[in-house]
Amino acid sequence: MKTQAFFAAAVFLGFSLGAAENMLKNGDFESSSIKPWMTTKKGFKTIYEIKNGKLICSGDTQNKYNYNLTLIQDVPQQLVPGKRYLLSAEALSNVKNAAKKQGSIQIRAIDKNGKSIKYYGVNLTLDNSLRKYHYIYTPPANAASHQIYISHGNFENDDFIEVDNVSLTDAPEIAKEEGNMIVNGNFEYFELEPWRAPQTGKNNKFYQLSTDTSFGKQCLAVSGDLNHRYKNSSFIQNLPALQHGKEYLLSGRVRACNKNATSGGLTNLTNKSFKIHVREINSANRSLRYIGFTVNLSEDTWKYYEKM
């Protein structure tokens, strides 16, 4: 399937990091010893080793656990149910033919009886590029303890992943700048909240954070799939109440591109569209009208749009 994508960015928002202490030990792998990370799935070759300050996770085809090799660290602190935490890491894969191979960095929530509640986290993209990963985690009420899992599976002996800067910290809050009613409209936060995608739900694949900009910032990458059940997809955020008779400015920067082409916007534009608009809703939750702008899909340059 050809991948065609839109990139959208807005302005005026940021987030406040503050001083966040990493709860994990040796998450930067600067120590020559792998401790306190541990594994029970040892095999016929070295699976985990530290080289040049990075954790190397290799395959072991003779290991009966090669389908799911794991490196684990107990979270030394008690996490507070309902509080938000940020799990972060960097990873660079060196994998041939990524089909049926997997990697992930997760936090395991455990109940008071030592049973798993659920694993939360991120799947690693095995495309041989360096990527940063972030996951906002909120412990469930019955979580008594936690562990961090670095996992990979079905690797060949010469496949490996480099992992670095694994951390678990208090999650920063999004700082809304005065004057902008849209939260995380510049897409500089670690996740896309509070935006939501009703047509794709939790398995969102059409809306992703991207650094493919010309101005050193993150943006929203929007893609499509002709085989998806919904031909029209929406990315939505609720706004606070607006005052009748007052003027507001809706604006954003957008460019359109075809990832299979070296230049130019989208091709075969018939029946394709991309709009950013405000939906007016009455007291019965019915649409009154949509006010906004339509993006030019033939341009592969960042263009500023606005609508009063």
Side-chain angles (χ1 to χ4, degrees), residues 247-284:
E247 285 192 330
Y248 297 90
L249 176 67
L250 175 67
S251 64
R253 283 184 293 182
V254 187
R255 73 180 177 97
C257 70
N258 185 335
K259 285 297 185 181
N260 293 323
T262 56
S263 63
L266 302 191
T267 57
N268 302 320
L269 298 180
T270 304
N271 297 324
K272 295 178 182 178
S273 67
F274 186 78
K275 303 175 183 178
I276 298 178
H277 45 215
V278 175
R279 175 193 175 207
E280 290 184 347
I281 310 169
N282 64 17
S283 58

CSV table of all heavy atoms in Angstrom, one decimal, residues 247-284:
chain,number,residue,atom,x,y,z
A,247,GLU,N,-15.0,37.2,18.2
A,247,GLU,CA,-14.2,36.6,17.1
A,247,GLU,C,-13.0,35.8,17.6
A,247,GLU,O,-12.4,36.2,18.6
A,247,GLU,CB,-13.7,37.7,16.2
A,247,GLU,CG,-14.7,38.3,15.3
A,247,GLU,CD,-14.1,39.2,14.2
A,247,GLU,OE1,-13.0,39.8,14.4
A,247,GLU,OE2,-14.7,39.3,13.1
A,248,TYR,N,-12.8,34.6,17.0
A,248,TYR,CA,-11.7,33.8,17.3
A,248,TYR,C,-10.9,33.4,16.0
A,248,TYR,O,-11.5,33.4,14.9
A,248,TYR,CB,-12.2,32.5,18.0
A,248,TYR,CG,-12.9,32.7,19.3
A,248,TYR,CD1,-14.3,32.9,19.3
A,248,TYR,CD2,-12.2,32.7,20.5
A,248,TYR,CE1,-15.0,33.1,20.5
A,248,TYR,CE2,-12.9,32.9,21.7
A,248,TYR,CZ,-14.2,33.1,21.7
A,248,TYR,OH,-14.9,33.3,22.9
A,249,LEU,N,-9.7,33.2,16.2
A,249,LEU,CA,-8.8,32.8,15.0
A,249,LEU,C,-8.4,31.4,15.1
A,249,LEU,O,-7.7,31.0,16.1
A,249,LEU,CB,-7.6,33.7,15.0
A,249,LEU,CG,-6.6,33.4,13.9
A,249,LEU,CD1,-7.2,33.7,12.5
A,249,LEU,CD2,-5.3,34.2,14.1
A,250,LEU,N,-8.7,30.6,14.1
A,250,LEU,CA,-8.3,29.2,14.0
A,250,LEU,C,-7.1,29.2,13.0
A,250,LEU,O,-7.3,29.7,11.9
A,250,LEU,CB,-9.4,28.3,13.5
A,250,LEU,CG,-9.0,26.8,13.2
A,250,LEU,CD1,-8.7,26.1,14.5
A,250,LEU,CD2,-10.2,26.1,12.5
A,251,SER,N,-6.0,28.6,13.4
A,251,SER,CA,-4.8,28.6,12.5
A,251,SER,C,-4.0,27.4,12.6
A,251,SER,O,-4.1,26.6,13.6
A,251,SER,CB,-4.0,29.9,12.7
A,251,SER,OG,-3.4,29.8,14.0
A,252,GLY,N,-3.2,27.1,11.6
A,252,GLY,CA,-2.2,26.0,11.7
A,252,GLY,C,-1.3,26.0,10.5
A,252,GLY,O,-1.6,26.6,9.5
A,253,ARG,N,-0.3,25.2,10.6
A,253,ARG,CA,0.7,25.0,9.5
A,253,ARG,C,0.5,23.5,9.0
A,253,ARG,O,0.5,22.6,9.8
A,253,ARG,CB,2.1,25.3,9.9
A,253,ARG,CG,2.4,26.7,10.0
A,253,ARG,CD,3.9,27.0,10.3
A,253,ARG,NE,4.3,26.5,11.6
A,253,ARG,CZ,5.5,26.6,12.1
A,253,ARG,NH1,6.4,27.1,11.4
A,253,ARG,NH2,5.7,26.2,13.3
A,254,VAL,N,0.5,23.3,7.7
A,254,VAL,CA,0.2,22.0,7.1
A,254,VAL,C,1.1,21.8,5.9
A,254,VAL,O,1.2,22.8,5.1
A,254,VAL,CB,-1.3,21.7,6.8
A,254,VAL,CG1,-1.5,20.3,6.4
A,254,VAL,CG2,-2.1,22.1,8.0
A,255,ARG,N,1.5,20.6,5.6
A,255,ARG,CA,2.1,20.3,4.3
A,255,ARG,C,1.6,18.8,4.0
A,255,ARG,O,1.3,18.0,4.9
A,255,ARG,CB,3.6,20.4,4.3
A,255,ARG,CG,4.3,19.3,5.0
A,255,ARG,CD,5.9,19.5,4.9
A,255,ARG,NE,6.6,18.5,5.6
A,255,ARG,CZ,7.1,17.4,5.1
A,255,ARG,NH1,7.0,17.1,3.8
A,255,ARG,NH2,7.8,16.6,5.8
A,256,ALA,N,1.5,18.5,2.7
A,256,ALA,CA,1.1,17.2,2.2
A,256,ALA,C,2.3,16.6,1.4
A,256,ALA,O,2.9,17.3,0.6
A,256,ALA,CB,-0.1,17.3,1.4
A,257,CYS,N,2.5,15.3,1.6
A,257,CYS,CA,3.6,14.7,0.9
A,257,CYS,C,3.3,13.2,0.6
A,257,CYS,O,2.5,12.6,1.3
A,257,CYS,CB,4.9,14.8,1.6
A,257,CYS,SG,5.1,13.8,3.1
A,258,ASN,N,3.9,12.7,-0.4
A,258,ASN,CA,3.8,11.3,-0.8
A,258,ASN,C,5.2,10.7,-0.4
A,258,ASN,O,6.2,11.0,-1.0
A,258,ASN,CB,3.5,11.1,-2.3
A,258,ASN,CG,3.3,9.6,-2.7
A,258,ASN,OD1,3.8,8.7,-2.0
A,258,ASN,ND2,2.6,9.4,-3.7
A,259,LYS,N,5.2,9.7,0.5
A,259,LYS,CA,6.4,9.2,1.0
A,259,LYS,C,7.2,8.4,0.0
A,259,LYS,O,8.3,8.0,0.1
A,259,LYS,CB,6.2,8.3,2.2
A,259,LYS,CG,5.9,9.1,3.5
A,259,LYS,CD,7.1,10.0,3.9
A,259,LYS,CE,6.9,10.7,5.2
A,259,LYS,NZ,8.1,11.5,5.5
A,260,ASN,N,6.5,8.0,-1.1
A,260,ASN,CA,7.1,7.2,-2.2
A,260,ASN,C,7.6,8.1,-3.3
A,260,ASN,O,8.1,7.6,-4.3
A,260,ASN,CB,6.1,6.2,-2.7
A,260,ASN,CG,5.8,5.1,-1.7
A,260,ASN,OD1,6.6,4.7,-1.0
A,260,ASN,ND2,4.5,4.7,-1.7
A,261,ALA,N,7.5,9.4,-3.1
A,261,ALA,CA,8.0,10.3,-4.1
A,261,ALA,C,9.1,11.2,-3.5
A,261,ALA,O,9.1,11.5,-2.3
A,261,ALA,CB,6.9,11.2,-4.7
A,262,THR,N,10.0,11.7,-4.3
A,262,THR,CA,11.1,12.6,-3.8
A,262,THR,C,10.6,14.0,-3.6
A,262,THR,O,11.2,14.8,-2.8
A,262,THR,CB,12.2,12.6,-4.8
A,262,THR,OG1,11.8,13.0,-6.1
A,262,THR,CG2,12.8,11.2,-4.9
A,263,SER,N,9.5,14.4,-4.2
A,263,SER,CA,9.0,15.8,-4.1
A,263,SER,C,7.6,15.8,-4.5
A,263,SER,O,7.0,14.9,-5.1
A,263,SER,CB,9.8,16.8,-4.9
A,263,SER,OG,9.7,16.5,-6.3
A,264,GLY,N,6.9,16.9,-4.2
A,264,GLY,CA,5.5,17.1,-4.6
A,264,GLY,C,4.6,16.7,-3.5
A,264,GLY,O,4.9,15.9,-2.6
A,265,GLY,N,3.3,17.1,-3.6
A,265,GLY,CA,2.3,16.7,-2.7
A,265,GLY,C,1.7,15.4,-3.0
A,265,GLY,O,2.3,14.5,-3.6
A,266,LEU,N,0.4,15.2,-2.6
A,266,LEU,CA,-0.3,14.0,-2.9
A,266,LEU,C,-0.6,13.9,-4.4
A,266,LEU,O,-0.7,14.9,-5.1
A,266,LEU,CB,-1.5,13.9,-2.0
A,266,LEU,CG,-1.4,14.0,-0.5
A,266,LEU,CD1,-2.7,13.6,0.1
A,266,LEU,CD2,-0.3,13.1,0.0
A,267,THR,N,-0.8,12.7,-4.8
A,267,THR,CA,-1.2,12.4,-6.2
A,267,THR,C,-2.6,11.8,-6.2
A,267,THR,O,-3.2,11.4,-5.2
A,267,THR,CB,-0.2,11.4,-6.8
A,267,THR,OG1,-0.2,10.2,-6.1
A,267,THR,CG2,1.2,12.0,-6.9
A,268,ASN,N,-3.2,11.8,-7.4
A,268,ASN,CA,-4.6,11.3,-7.6
A,268,ASN,C,-5.5,11.9,-6.5
A,268,ASN,O,-6.0,11.2,-5.6
A,268,ASN,CB,-4.6,9.8,-7.5
A,268,ASN,CG,-3.7,9.1,-8.5
A,268,ASN,OD1,-3.6,9.6,-9.6
A,268,ASN,ND2,-3.0,8.1,-8.1
A,269,LEU,N,-5.7,13.2,-6.6
A,269,LEU,CA,-6.4,14.0,-5.5
A,269,LEU,C,-7.9,13.8,-5.5
A,269,LEU,O,-8.6,14.3,-4.6
A,269,LEU,CB,-6.1,15.4,-5.7
A,269,LEU,CG,-4.6,15.8,-5.5
A,269,LEU,CD1,-4.4,17.3,-5.6
A,269,LEU,CD2,-4.1,15.3,-4.1
A,270,THR,N,-8.5,13.1,-6.5
A,270,THR,CA,-9.9,12.9,-6.6
A,270,THR,C,-10.4,12.3,-5.3
A,270,THR,O,-9.9,11.2,-4.8
A,270,THR,CB,-10.3,12.1,-7.8
A,270,THR,OG1,-9.8,12.7,-9.0
A,270,THR,CG2,-11.8,12.0,-7.8
A,271,ASN,N,-11.4,12.9,-4.7
A,271,ASN,CA,-12.1,12.4,-3.4
A,271,ASN,C,-11.2,12.4,-2.2
A,271,ASN,O,-11.5,11.9,-1.2
A,271,ASN,CB,-12.6,10.9,-3.6
A,271,ASN,CG,-13.6,10.8,-4.7
A,271,ASN,OD1,-14.4,11.7,-4.9
A,271,ASN,ND2,-13.6,9.7,-5.5
A,272,LYS,N,-10.0,13.1,-2.3
A,272,LYS,CA,-9.1,13.2,-1.1
A,272,LYS,C,-9.3,14.7,-0.6
A,272,LYS,O,-9.4,15.6,-1.3
A,272,LYS,CB,-7.7,13.0,-1.5
A,272,LYS,CG,-7.4,11.6,-1.9
A,272,LYS,CD,-5.9,11.4,-2.3
A,272,LYS,CE,-5.6,10.0,-2.8
A,272,LYS,NZ,-4.2,9.8,-3.2
A,273,SER,N,-9.3,14.8,0.8
A,273,SER,CA,-9.4,16.1,1.4
A,273,SER,C,-8.8,16.1,2.8
A,273,SER,O,-8.7,15.0,3.4
A,273,SER,CB,-10.9,16.5,1.5
A,273,SER,OG,-11.6,15.7,2.4
A,274,PHE,N,-8.4,17.2,3.2
A,274,PHE,CA,-7.9,17.4,4.6
A,274,PHE,C,-8.4,18.8,5.1
A,274,PHE,O,-8.1,19.8,4.4
A,274,PHE,CB,-6.4,17.3,4.6
A,274,PHE,CG,-5.8,17.3,6.0
A,274,PHE,CD1,-5.8,16.2,6.8
A,274,PHE,CD2,-5.2,18.5,6.5
A,274,PHE,CE1,-5.3,16.2,8.1
A,274,PHE,CE2,-4.7,18.5,7.8
A,274,PHE,CZ,-4.8,17.4,8.6
A,275,LYS,N,-9.1,18.8,6.2
A,275,LYS,CA,-9.7,20.0,6.7
A,275,LYS,C,-9.4,20.2,8.2
A,275,LYS,O,-9.2,19.2,8.9
A,275,LYS,CB,-11.2,20.0,6.5
A,275,LYS,CG,-11.6,19.8,5.0
A,275,LYS,CD,-13.1,19.7,4.9
A,275,LYS,CE,-13.6,19.4,3.5
A,275,LYS,NZ,-15.1,19.3,3.4
A,276,ILE,N,-9.2,21.4,8.6
A,276,ILE,CA,-9.1,21.7,10.0
A,276,ILE,C,-10.3,22.7,10.3
A,276,ILE,O,-10.3,23.8,9.7
A,276,ILE,CB,-7.8,22.4,10.4
A,276,ILE,CG1,-6.7,21.4,10.1
A,276,ILE,CG2,-7.8,22.8,11.9
A,276,ILE,CD1,-5.3,21.9,10.4
A,277,HIS,N,-11.2,22.3,11.2
A,277,HIS,CA,-12.3,23.2,11.4
A,277,HIS,C,-12.9,23.1,12.8
A,277,HIS,O,-12.5,22.1,13.5
A,277,HIS,CB,-13.4,22.9,10.4
A,277,HIS,CG,-13.7,21.5,10.1
A,277,HIS,ND1,-14.1,21.0,8.9
A,277,HIS,CD2,-13.7,20.4,10.9
A,277,HIS,CE1,-14.3,19.7,9.0
A,277,HIS,NE2,-14.1,19.3,10.2
A,278,VAL,N,-13.7,24.0,13.2
A,278,VAL,CA,-14.4,24.0,14.4
A,278,VAL,C,-15.8,23.6,14.2
A,278,VAL,O,-16.5,24.1,13.2
A,278,VAL,CB,-14.4,25.4,15.1
A,278,VAL,CG1,-15.3,25.4,16.3
A,278,VAL,CG2,-13.0,25.9,15.4
A,279,ARG,N,-16.3,22.6,15.0
A,279,ARG,CA,-17.7,22.1,14.8
A,279,ARG,C,-18.5,22.9,15.9
A,279,ARG,O,-18.3,22.8,17.1
A,279,ARG,CB,-17.7,20.6,15.1
A,279,ARG,CG,-19.1,20.0,15.1
A,279,ARG,CD,-19.1,18.6,15.6
A,279,ARG,NE,-20.4,18.1,15.8
A,279,ARG,CZ,-20.8,17.1,16.6
A,279,ARG,NH1,-19.8,16.6,17.5
A,279,ARG,NH2,-22.0,16.7,16.7
A,280,GLU,N,-19.6,23.6,15.4
A,280,GLU,CA,-20.5,24.2,16.3
A,280,GLU,C,-21.6,23.1,16.6
A,280,GLU,O,-22.1,22.4,15.8
A,280,GLU,CB,-21.2,25.4,15.6
A,280,GLU,CG,-20.3,26.6,15.4
A,280,GLU,CD,-21.0,27.8,14.9
A,280,GLU,OE1,-22.1,27.6,14.4
A,280,GLU,OE2,-20.4,28.9,14.9
A,281,ILE,N,-21.9,23.1,17.9
A,281,ILE,CA,-22.9,22.0,18.4
A,281,ILE,C,-24.0,22.7,19.2
A,281,ILE,O,-23.7,23.6,20.0
A,281,ILE,CB,-22.1,21.0,19.3
A,281,ILE,CG1,-20.8,20.5,18.6
A,281,ILE,CG2,-23.0,19.8,19.7
A,281,ILE,CD1,-19.9,19.7,19.5
A,282,ASN,N,-25.2,22.3,19.1
A,282,ASN,CA,-26.3,22.8,19.8
A,282,ASN,C,-26.5,22.1,21.2
A,282,ASN,O,-25.7,21.1,21.4
A,282,ASN,CB,-27.6,22.8,19.0
A,282,ASN,CG,-28.1,21.4,18.7
A,282,ASN,OD1,-27.7,20.4,19.2
A,282,ASN,ND2,-29.0,21.4,17.7
A,283,SER,N,-27.5,22.4,21.9
A,283,SER,CA,-27.7,21.8,23.3
A,283,SER,C,-28.1,20.4,23.2
A,283,SER,O,-27.9,19.6,24.2
A,283,SER,CB,-28.7,22.6,24.0
A,283,SER,OG,-30.0,22.6,23.3
A,284,ALA,N,-28.5,19.9,22.0
A,284,ALA,CA,-28.9,18.5,21.8
A,284,ALA,C,-27.7,17.7,21.2
A,284,ALA,O,-27.9,16.6,20.8
A,284,ALA,CB,-30.1,18.4,20.9
